[in-house]
mmCIF file of all heavy atoms in Angstrom:
data_model
loop_
_atom_site.group_PDB
_atom_site.id
_atom_site.type_symbol
_atom_site.label_atom_id
_atom_site.label_comp_id
_atom_site.label_asym_id
_atom_site.label_seq_id
_atom_site.Cartn_x
_atom_site.Cartn_y
_atom_site.Cartn_z
ATOM 1 N N PHE A 1656 10.097 -95.939 9.334
ATOM 2 C CA PHE A 1656 9.529 -96.314 8.058
ATOM 3 C C PHE A 1656 10.635 -96.299 7.007
ATOM 4 O O PHE A 1656 11.350 -95.348 6.878
ATOM 5 C CB PHE A 1656 8.320 -95.451 7.670
ATOM 6 C CG PHE A 1656 8.496 -94.009 8.056
ATOM 7 C CD1 PHE A 1656 9.111 -93.068 7.182
ATOM 8 C CD2 PHE A 1656 8.039 -93.544 9.248
ATOM 9 C CE1 PHE A 1656 9.235 -91.759 7.492
ATOM 10 C CE2 PHE A 1656 8.213 -92.222 9.634
ATOM 11 C CZ PHE A 1656 8.807 -91.296 8.743
ATOM 12 N N PRO A 1657 10.734 -97.346 6.183
ATOM 13 C CA PRO A 1657 11.869 -97.491 5.279
ATOM 14 C C PRO A 1657 11.961 -96.361 4.292
ATOM 15 O O PRO A 1657 10.880 -95.924 3.731
ATOM 16 C CB PRO A 1657 11.607 -98.818 4.538
ATOM 17 C CG PRO A 1657 10.759 -99.561 5.507
ATOM 18 C CD PRO A 1657 9.942 -98.536 6.220
ATOM 19 N N CYS A 1658 13.159 -95.801 4.075
ATOM 20 C CA CYS A 1658 13.239 -94.709 3.106
ATOM 21 C C CYS A 1658 12.998 -95.111 1.752
ATOM 22 O O CYS A 1658 12.671 -94.274 0.856
ATOM 23 C CB CYS A 1658 14.677 -94.140 3.256
ATOM 24 S SG CYS A 1658 16.013 -95.259 2.917
ATOM 25 N N GLN A 1659 13.028 -96.382 1.386
ATOM 26 C CA GLN A 1659 12.712 -96.903 0.086
ATOM 27 C C GLN A 1659 11.236 -96.565 -0.280
ATOM 28 O O GLN A 1659 10.918 -96.455 -1.428
ATOM 29 C CB GLN A 1659 12.856 -98.420 -0.059
ATOM 30 C CG GLN A 1659 14.297 -98.853 -0.028
ATOM 31 C CD GLN A 1659 14.812 -99.092 1.377
ATOM 32 O OE1 GLN A 1659 14.237 -98.555 2.355
ATOM 33 N NE2 GLN A 1659 15.920 -99.779 1.523
ATOM 34 N N ALA A 1660 10.463 -96.327 0.753
ATOM 35 C CA ALA A 1660 9.031 -96.006 0.472
ATOM 36 C C ALA A 1660 8.880 -94.714 -0.310
ATOM 37 O O ALA A 1660 7.932 -94.561 -1.054
ATOM 38 C CB ALA A 1660 8.280 -95.831 1.815
ATOM 39 N N PHE A 1661 9.876 -93.848 -0.234
ATOM 40 C CA PHE A 1661 9.760 -92.590 -0.869
ATOM 41 C C PHE A 1661 9.728 -92.789 -2.435
ATOM 42 O O PHE A 1661 9.216 -91.959 -3.193
ATOM 43 C CB PHE A 1661 10.891 -91.633 -0.583
ATOM 44 C CG PHE A 1661 11.052 -91.370 0.951
ATOM 45 C CD1 PHE A 1661 12.293 -91.012 1.468
ATOM 46 C CD2 PHE A 1661 9.961 -91.512 1.776
ATOM 47 C CE1 PHE A 1661 12.386 -90.775 2.831
ATOM 48 C CE2 PHE A 1661 10.090 -91.299 3.094
ATOM 49 C CZ PHE A 1661 11.311 -90.915 3.623
ATOM 50 N N SER A 1662 10.389 -93.861 -2.888
ATOM 51 C CA SER A 1662 10.577 -94.021 -4.349
ATOM 52 C C SER A 1662 9.299 -94.208 -5.055
ATOM 53 O O SER A 1662 9.192 -93.927 -6.236
ATOM 54 C CB SER A 1662 11.554 -95.211 -4.606
ATOM 55 O OG SER A 1662 10.962 -96.398 -4.139
ATOM 56 N N TYR A 1663 8.253 -94.739 -4.361
ATOM 57 C CA TYR A 1663 6.993 -94.909 -5.050
ATOM 58 C C TYR A 1663 6.012 -93.852 -4.605
ATOM 59 O O TYR A 1663 4.806 -94.076 -4.522
ATOM 60 C CB TYR A 1663 6.400 -96.346 -4.945
ATOM 61 C CG TYR A 1663 6.304 -96.944 -3.539
ATOM 62 C CD1 TYR A 1663 5.122 -96.694 -2.726
ATOM 63 C CD2 TYR A 1663 7.229 -97.748 -3.073
ATOM 64 C CE1 TYR A 1663 4.958 -97.232 -1.483
ATOM 65 C CE2 TYR A 1663 7.099 -98.296 -1.805
ATOM 66 C CZ TYR A 1663 5.959 -98.096 -1.017
ATOM 67 O OH TYR A 1663 5.855 -98.678 0.189
ATOM 68 N N ALA A 1664 6.494 -92.646 -4.418
ATOM 69 C CA ALA A 1664 5.686 -91.517 -4.150
ATOM 70 C C ALA A 1664 5.721 -90.622 -5.331
ATOM 71 O O ALA A 1664 5.347 -89.439 -5.259
ATOM 72 C CB ALA A 1664 6.163 -90.742 -2.916
ATOM 73 N N GLY A 1665 6.120 -91.152 -6.472
ATOM 74 C CA GLY A 1665 6.068 -90.382 -7.741
ATOM 75 C C GLY A 1665 7.377 -89.888 -8.213
ATOM 76 O O GLY A 1665 7.494 -88.808 -8.773
ATOM 77 N N ASN A 1666 8.397 -90.753 -8.045
ATOM 78 C CA ASN A 1666 9.723 -90.408 -8.627
ATOM 79 C C ASN A 1666 10.223 -89.061 -8.191
ATOM 80 O O ASN A 1666 10.455 -88.174 -9.026
ATOM 81 C CB ASN A 1666 9.717 -90.540 -10.140
ATOM 82 C CG ASN A 1666 9.499 -91.904 -10.655
ATOM 83 O OD1 ASN A 1666 9.993 -92.873 -10.005
ATOM 84 N ND2 ASN A 1666 8.759 -92.102 -11.687
ATOM 85 N N ARG A 1667 10.235 -88.866 -6.863
ATOM 86 C CA ARG A 1667 10.744 -87.624 -6.229
ATOM 87 C C ARG A 1667 9.741 -86.475 -6.452
ATOM 88 O O ARG A 1667 10.097 -85.300 -6.274
ATOM 89 C CB ARG A 1667 12.088 -87.196 -6.801
ATOM 90 C CG ARG A 1667 13.187 -88.210 -6.519
ATOM 91 C CD ARG A 1667 14.558 -87.736 -6.861
ATOM 92 N NE ARG A 1667 14.938 -86.521 -6.122
ATOM 93 C CZ ARG A 1667 15.525 -86.590 -4.907
ATOM 94 N NH1 ARG A 1667 15.735 -87.707 -4.340
ATOM 95 N NH2 ARG A 1667 15.829 -85.447 -4.357
ATOM 96 N N ARG A 1668 8.536 -86.708 -6.812
ATOM 97 C CA ARG A 1668 7.509 -85.670 -6.926
ATOM 98 C C ARG A 1668 6.902 -85.314 -5.585
ATOM 99 O O ARG A 1668 6.043 -84.441 -5.493
ATOM 100 C CB ARG A 1668 6.447 -86.039 -7.920
ATOM 101 C CG ARG A 1668 6.982 -86.011 -9.408
ATOM 102 C CD ARG A 1668 5.791 -85.981 -10.368
ATOM 103 N NE ARG A 1668 4.989 -87.154 -10.253
ATOM 104 C CZ ARG A 1668 5.177 -88.269 -10.938
ATOM 105 N NH1 ARG A 1668 6.224 -88.377 -11.749
ATOM 106 N NH2 ARG A 1668 4.406 -89.288 -10.781
ATOM 107 N N GLY A 1669 7.198 -86.051 -4.534
ATOM 108 C CA GLY A 1669 6.650 -85.823 -3.208
ATOM 109 C C GLY A 1669 5.513 -86.783 -2.910
ATOM 110 O O GLY A 1669 5.108 -87.565 -3.747
ATOM 111 N N PHE A 1670 4.924 -86.590 -1.709
ATOM 112 C CA PHE A 1670 3.968 -87.593 -1.216
ATOM 113 C C PHE A 1670 2.537 -87.258 -1.673
ATOM 114 O O PHE A 1670 1.663 -88.153 -1.680
ATOM 115 C CB PHE A 1670 3.987 -87.639 0.347
ATOM 116 C CG PHE A 1670 4.970 -88.619 0.818
ATOM 117 C CD1 PHE A 1670 6.282 -88.223 0.990
ATOM 118 C CD2 PHE A 1670 4.596 -89.935 1.066
ATOM 119 C CE1 PHE A 1670 7.185 -89.157 1.523
ATOM 120 C CE2 PHE A 1670 5.534 -90.826 1.552
ATOM 121 C CZ PHE A 1670 6.806 -90.457 1.718
ATOM 122 N N GLY A 1671 2.246 -86.018 -1.958
ATOM 123 C CA GLY A 1671 0.815 -85.733 -2.274
ATOM 124 C C GLY A 1671 0.028 -86.053 -0.930
ATOM 125 O O GLY A 1671 0.286 -85.560 0.056
ATOM 126 N N GLU A 1672 -0.949 -86.963 -1.059
ATOM 127 C CA GLU A 1672 -1.700 -87.419 0.033
ATOM 128 C C GLU A 1672 -1.004 -88.459 0.864
ATOM 129 O O GLU A 1672 -1.473 -88.925 1.842
ATOM 130 C CB GLU A 1672 -3.058 -87.912 -0.417
ATOM 131 C CG GLU A 1672 -4.000 -86.779 -0.942
ATOM 132 C CD GLU A 1672 -5.337 -87.341 -1.217
ATOM 133 O OE1 GLU A 1672 -5.475 -88.613 -1.374
ATOM 134 O OE2 GLU A 1672 -6.280 -86.543 -1.320
ATOM 135 N N ALA A 1673 0.177 -88.953 0.347
ATOM 136 C CA ALA A 1673 1.030 -89.999 1.032
ATOM 137 C C ALA A 1673 0.420 -91.390 0.910
ATOM 138 O O ALA A 1673 0.992 -92.335 1.475
ATOM 139 C CB ALA A 1673 1.200 -89.628 2.546
ATOM 140 N N ARG A 1674 -0.714 -91.502 0.194
ATOM 141 C CA ARG A 1674 -1.260 -92.854 0.057
ATOM 142 C C ARG A 1674 -0.324 -93.763 -0.727
ATOM 143 O O ARG A 1674 0.347 -93.347 -1.670
ATOM 144 C CB ARG A 1674 -2.598 -92.827 -0.618
ATOM 145 C CG ARG A 1674 -3.709 -92.095 0.243
ATOM 146 C CD ARG A 1674 -5.060 -92.152 -0.420
ATOM 147 N NE ARG A 1674 -6.035 -91.404 0.321
ATOM 148 C CZ ARG A 1674 -6.630 -91.881 1.385
ATOM 149 N NH1 ARG A 1674 -6.405 -93.078 1.844
ATOM 150 N NH2 ARG A 1674 -7.455 -91.133 2.075
ATOM 151 N N GLY A 1675 -0.269 -95.045 -0.282
ATOM 152 C CA GLY A 1675 0.632 -95.993 -1.015
ATOM 153 C C GLY A 1675 2.036 -95.953 -0.443
ATOM 154 O O GLY A 1675 2.917 -96.683 -0.933
ATOM 155 N N THR A 1676 2.356 -95.141 0.532
ATOM 156 C CA THR A 1676 3.720 -95.133 1.193
ATOM 157 C C THR A 1676 3.653 -95.790 2.551
ATOM 158 O O THR A 1676 2.568 -95.795 3.208
ATOM 159 C CB THR A 1676 4.192 -93.689 1.327
ATOM 160 O OG1 THR A 1676 3.403 -93.027 2.316
ATOM 161 C CG2 THR A 1676 4.128 -92.915 0.025
ATOM 162 N N LEU A 1677 4.754 -96.205 3.024
ATOM 163 C CA LEU A 1677 4.835 -96.775 4.334
ATOM 164 C C LEU A 1677 4.667 -95.747 5.422
ATOM 165 O O LEU A 1677 4.220 -96.043 6.547
ATOM 166 C CB LEU A 1677 6.122 -97.610 4.514
ATOM 167 C CG LEU A 1677 6.108 -98.891 3.631
ATOM 168 C CD1 LEU A 1677 7.468 -99.521 3.754
ATOM 169 C CD2 LEU A 1677 5.022 -99.803 4.059
ATOM 170 N N PHE A 1678 4.991 -94.506 5.164
ATOM 171 C CA PHE A 1678 4.727 -93.401 6.068
ATOM 172 C C PHE A 1678 3.203 -93.313 6.286
ATOM 173 O O PHE A 1678 2.754 -93.130 7.431
ATOM 174 C CB PHE A 1678 5.252 -92.040 5.648
ATOM 175 C CG PHE A 1678 4.672 -90.903 6.493
ATOM 176 C CD1 PHE A 1678 5.250 -90.749 7.739
ATOM 177 C CD2 PHE A 1678 3.669 -90.108 6.065
ATOM 178 C CE1 PHE A 1678 4.809 -89.650 8.566
ATOM 179 C CE2 PHE A 1678 3.198 -89.087 6.884
ATOM 180 C CZ PHE A 1678 3.766 -88.879 8.118
ATOM 181 N N PHE A 1679 2.477 -93.406 5.212
ATOM 182 C CA PHE A 1679 0.990 -93.363 5.362
ATOM 183 C C PHE A 1679 0.487 -94.495 6.258
ATOM 184 O O PHE A 1679 -0.418 -94.250 7.076
ATOM 185 C CB PHE A 1679 0.335 -93.493 3.931
ATOM 186 C CG PHE A 1679 -1.159 -93.386 3.927
ATOM 187 C CD1 PHE A 1679 -1.827 -92.208 4.141
ATOM 188 C CD2 PHE A 1679 -1.970 -94.581 3.885
ATOM 189 C CE1 PHE A 1679 -3.151 -92.117 4.148
ATOM 190 C CE2 PHE A 1679 -3.309 -94.508 3.939
ATOM 191 C CZ PHE A 1679 -3.962 -93.255 4.056
ATOM 192 N N GLU A 1680 1.037 -95.654 6.177
ATOM 193 C CA GLU A 1680 0.634 -96.723 7.023
ATOM 194 C C GLU A 1680 1.005 -96.482 8.482
ATOM 195 O O GLU A 1680 0.248 -96.810 9.348
ATOM 196 C CB GLU A 1680 1.266 -98.092 6.495
ATOM 197 C CG GLU A 1680 0.821 -98.485 5.111
ATOM 198 C CD GLU A 1680 -0.682 -98.539 4.905
ATOM 199 O OE1 GLU A 1680 -1.377 -99.055 5.803
ATOM 200 O OE2 GLU A 1680 -1.158 -98.049 3.863
ATOM 201 N N PHE A 1681 2.157 -95.881 8.673
ATOM 202 C CA PHE A 1681 2.570 -95.456 9.987
ATOM 203 C C PHE A 1681 1.535 -94.459 10.556
ATOM 204 O O PHE A 1681 1.050 -94.598 11.732
ATOM 205 C CB PHE A 1681 3.996 -94.763 9.974
ATOM 206 C CG PHE A 1681 4.351 -94.061 11.169
ATOM 207 C CD1 PHE A 1681 4.837 -94.672 12.294
ATOM 208 C CD2 PHE A 1681 4.312 -92.639 11.188
ATOM 209 C CE1 PHE A 1681 5.294 -93.963 13.430
ATOM 210 C CE2 PHE A 1681 4.688 -91.918 12.318
ATOM 211 C CZ PHE A 1681 5.170 -92.584 13.443
ATOM 212 N N LEU A 1682 1.117 -93.533 9.765
ATOM 213 C CA LEU A 1682 0.152 -92.529 10.130
ATOM 214 C C LEU A 1682 -1.218 -93.166 10.510
ATOM 215 O O LEU A 1682 -1.839 -92.765 11.493
ATOM 216 C CB LEU A 1682 -0.028 -91.507 8.998
ATOM 217 C CG LEU A 1682 -0.892 -90.299 9.322
ATOM 218 C CD1 LEU A 1682 -0.256 -89.385 10.406
ATOM 219 C CD2 LEU A 1682 -1.129 -89.481 8.012
#
Side-chain angles (χ1 to χ4, degrees):
F1656 37 89
C1658 57
Q1659 289 88 341
F1661 305 155
S1662 64
Y1663 52 87
N1666 294 323
R1667 298 185 64 84
R1668 289 198 296 271
F1670 270 88
E1672 291 184 340
R1674 294 185 184 278
T1676 69
L1677 291 174
F1678 170 77
F1679 180 78
E1680 299 305 319
F1681 167 80
L1682 186 67

